[in-house]
Amino acid sequence: MKIALGPLLYYWPRQSTLAFYADMADAPVDVVYLGETVCSRRHELRLPDWLEVAEILTAAGKEVVLSSQVLVESESDLKTLRRIVANGSFRVEANDMGAVRLLSSGDAPARNWIAGPTLNIFNPTTLSLFADLGATRWVAPPEMSRDQIRALRDGLGHNMEVEIFAHGRLPLAYSARCFTARHYNLQKDTCEFRCLQFADGIPLKTREGAPFLTLNGIQTQSAQVHTLLGDLPAVCAEGVDLLRVSPQGQHTLEILQIFRQALDGLIPPADALHEALPLLPAEPCNGFWHGRPGVDQHIPA
Amino acid sequence: MTSPRPIELVCPAGSLPALKTAIDHGADCVYLGFKDATNARNFSGLNFDDKAMAEGIRYAHDRGRKVLLALNTYPQTDNWQRWTGAVDRAATFGIDAVILADPGLMAYARKTHPDLRLHLSVQGSATSYDAINFYYEHFGISRAVLPRVLSLAQVEQVIANTPVEIEVFGFGGLCVMVEGRCALSAYATGESPNCDGACSPGKHVRWEQTPKGMETRLNGILIDRFADGERAGYPTLCKGRFEVGDETYYAIEEPTSLNTLELLPELARIGVRAIKIEGRQRSPAYVAQVTQVWRAAIDRVLAGGQPFRIEQAWMAELNKVSEGQSHTLGAYYRPWK
């Protein structure tokens, strides 16, 4: 079982971002997804910077993947997408159908790209179609349950690596609107890059003070931290190939270490979850894996 | 200036009476769904069984109008046959086009029913011409419905770079999130627009009068609380009031409707081929009012001549049936973002 570090969903200052990935060179992680997937206004690192980080991590023995932006709106978004697809060195995670088109057409279509979690691939017919177009890894939509993932895998006639979202606040929704700018009564075009102040996004609570969601620019995340640390035996039994850990403001390295130790049988799963709890920015949840509301924290009987 | 190309008015039909009302008030097309999770308005009491479907299609076709079938949710492995079965039924009924989101289902429809016209649903989340052209090249889609995220200039850019007809939302309930890219309802209730055809479903809703006011909950999660005299809205979870920092406000979106009537001449000029009215869950009375106003407005634009003028009565009619009695231009208006 490989551990993958998902793309950084937040907007951190340049030095923090570079320091974070410098740490990842020595972290127990096999695959690192890089690039800005949420907001085209985020420029602390531009594509050449990401490519430099990619070289460093590759030299450290990591498999590096460049992730494309989820919501593509402007011609300038498309230009960035084309540059990512044509990078020539690294595999690409396609996060919208425009990326799929660019990867799978032209003179030299890519034969080993990654079908990202926002492509809405929910059945084997659809996944086979992407396999025929060159996808060799599928990241399941976070809302899919264990049973649904198993059924899809069983029905698939192709070799395909399966990656699931195993740890982090769930990326639940994307919008043309920026909710961080809205919170500050700013317009998106003049947002003053307020996201830089929030390493884990902005907490949103119900009117009775219960944590519910997290505002992260145009993305809305769960407040609770989805983690499958307590479900690892079942996860392993499904034959999943990669577990995605989503970067959090602090303690990502420790989380990765706990995952690795638990997968290697050095700590029992219940202890792994227990050890991780003080390192999370909020309470845990795992409902989606169990076919329940995502917010639920479910401990199977 | 070249004269604008014809624009189709595409109206919602949650029931046979709504379908007839839409046709009678000037819809060029109606769109509808079967009574199950194969469409994104899977609400009890809505949609069409086979008998109503046959009668609806006959009613529309007798009057030279079209019927589009929404099969725009994403099938899972274990229910795949229900969706392909729905495509087969659509073809048998003589539906004018099916509105699909799932690429696998599109491939099935193209292969099994080569003459069936395919539209890409808004649930496909295709926001660029590259994304739309992907569906065109692989499945031969004729039309794409754009998510409510682009500015006018961006819509124009899409139209200039694709052979696919473009349909946009003109009026109705506003999804603030990119359609097809929202799992908020799944997170709160376990049921999602993508897979179950439902957002914030009624069976999870609780209304409760408390000393603090009328509270609306979704699967136990407090979505909003209303003081006496405040109009308590349905707890669609992105349209509640929440606490962020020290403030309590509509952190995601107010209860409001999209209304792009004033943009109609621009939409026509850039080559939008169809305007969609949201609201299959709404009453025939809503369908009548909205269809009538948009028919008049589109006819005025298509007639050309004098500068387009919006009747005050039109806006008044539309505001009456808007969520929260207010409207917005949504993403067409940059400050909204």
Side-chain angles (χ1 to χ4, degrees), chain B residues 37-38 64 75 89 106 110 120 124 135 143 145 157 167 175 189 196 217 248 254 294 305 327:
Chain B
T38 58
R89 279 159 73 204
M106 281 191 188
R110 179 48 66 233
L120 173 63
Y135 296 94
R143 179 180 293 180
V145 186
Q157 182 74 6
E167 175 172 319
C175 273
T189 73
D196 307 287
R217 288 175 190 273
T248 301
E254 288 89 7
W294 278 83
H327 67 263

Side-chain angles (χ1 to χ4, degrees), chain A residues 6 25 39 46 114 116 127 137 145 153 209 220 225 227 237 266 286 295:
Chain A
C39 176
R46 293 171 188 269
I114 291 100
L127 185 52
R137 182 184 298 160
S145 70
R153 205 185 160 109
T220 305
V225 181
T227 185
L266 300 175
N286 63 1
V295 64

Side-chain angles (χ1 to χ4, degrees), chain A residues 137-154:
Chain A
R137 182 184 298 160
W138 166 60
V139 189
E143 65 177 291
M144 272 183 98
S145 70
R146 170 190 186 173
D147 292 346
Q148 290 167 333
I149 291 168
R150 180 198 302 135
L152 190 155
R153 205 185 160 109
D154 289 349

Side-chain angles (χ1 to χ4, degrees), chain B residues 69-87:
Chain B
L69 180 74
L71 295 172
N72 55 349
T73 44
Y74 290 90
Q76 305 275 341
T77 312
D78 60 355
N79 57 26
W80 173 252
Q81 271 83 14
R82 183 188 288 188
W83 269 253
T84 54
V87 171

Side-chain angles (χ1 to χ4, degrees), chain A residues 239-293:
Chain A
V240 169
D241 301 290
L242 299 100
L243 299 182
R244 173 171 294 201
V245 174
S246 192
Q248 52 182 51
Q250 291 189 311
H251 308 304
T252 307
L253 182 59
E254 292 97 308
I255 297 289
L256 291 167
Q257 286 163 343
I258 294 172
F259 263 95
R260 189 69 266 167
Q261 288 169 3
L263 288 170
D264 292 345
L266 300 175
I267 37 176
D271 293 359
L273 179 60
H274 189 72
E275 268 187 48
L277 288 180
L279 306 173
L280 306 186
E283 294 297 303
C285 66
N286 63 1
F288 279 149
W289 174 253
H290 295 282
R292 305 166 66 91

Side-chain angles (χ1 to χ4, degrees), chain B residues 80-335:
Chain B
W80 173 252
Q81 271 83 14
R82 183 188 288 188
W83 269 253
T84 54
V87 171
D88 296 340
R89 279 159 73 204
T92 312
F93 273 119
I95 285 279
D96 295 285
V98 285
I99 309 169
L100 307 178
D102 184 65
L105 197 62
M106 281 191 188
Y108 173 84
R110 179 48 66 233
K111 183 162 164 262
T112 316
H113 308 284
D115 297 330
L116 186 58
R117 185 178 152 99
L118 308 184
H119 290 188
L120 173 63
S121 168
V122 69
Q123 294 295 122
S125 320
T127 53
S128 73
Y129 56 83
D130 271 317
I132 290 165
N133 288 341
F134 169 82
Y135 296 94
Y136 175 72
E137 287 155 3
H138 289 280
F139 316 113
I141 60 165
S142 305
R143 179 180 293 180
V145 186
L146 290 184
R148 286 162 271 195
V149 297
L150 300 181
S151 67
L152 263 183
Q154 288 166 344
V155 176
E156 187 170 15
Q157 182 74 6
V158 169
I159 292 171
N161 288 282
T162 181
V164 175
E165 294 175 9
I166 296 301
E167 175 172 319
V168 300
F169 276 87
F171 184 85
L174 177 70
C175 273
V176 65
M177 302 303 179
V178 184
E179 296 88 338
R181 294 256 176 77
C182 180
L184 290 177
S185 180
Y187 183 66
T189 73
E191 291 184 53
S192 71
N194 274 346
C195 300
D196 307 287
C199 171
S200 313
K203 67 177 171 200
H204 294 285
V205 170
R206 216 169 71 224
W207 306 77
E208 204 171 23
Q209 190 64 53
T210 74
K212 290 178 177 170
M214 170 66 84
E215 294 185 341
T216 55
R217 288 175 190 273
L218 193 63
N219 196 22
I221 299 167
L222 183 64
I223 301 300
D224 211 340
R225 180 187 289 147
F226 300 89
D228 292 346
E230 268 190 311
R231 191 189 155 100
Y234 186 88
T236 304
L237 57 75
C238 62
K239 292 179 178 173
R241 280 175 289 196
F242 300 104
E243 293 175 3
V244 182
D246 301 332
E247 288 177 75
T248 301
Y249 66 111
Y250 292 108
I252 299 174
E253 176 62 309
E254 288 89 7
T256 184
S257 286
L258 178 75
N259 183 2
T260 66
L261 199 64
E262 62 185 89
L263 300 178
L264 194 50
E266 276 298 285
L267 295 172
R269 183 187 64 78
I270 66 177
V272 164
R273 291 298 302 279
I275 304 277
K276 175 164 244 154
I277 306 299
E278 187 276 345
R280 282 192 284 140
Q281 72 286 10
R282 304 288 299 263
S283 68
Y286 162 93
V287 171
Q289 271 171 320
V290 179
T291 303
Q292 192 163 280
V293 168
W294 278 83
R295 178 76 273 154
I298 289 174
D299 286 348
R300 183 172 290 181
V301 167
L302 293 181
Q306 75 281 25
F308 178 71
R309 218 169 16 82
I310 290 178
E311 303 288 337
Q312 279 196 350
W314 292 349
M315 289 308 232
E317 281 291 299
L318 293 178
N319 273 341
K320 264 195 268 173
V321 294
S322 290
E323 190 178 355
Q325 284 70 53
S326 73
H327 67 263
T328 169
L329 285 171
Y332 290 114
Y333 178 60
R334 285 206 74 84

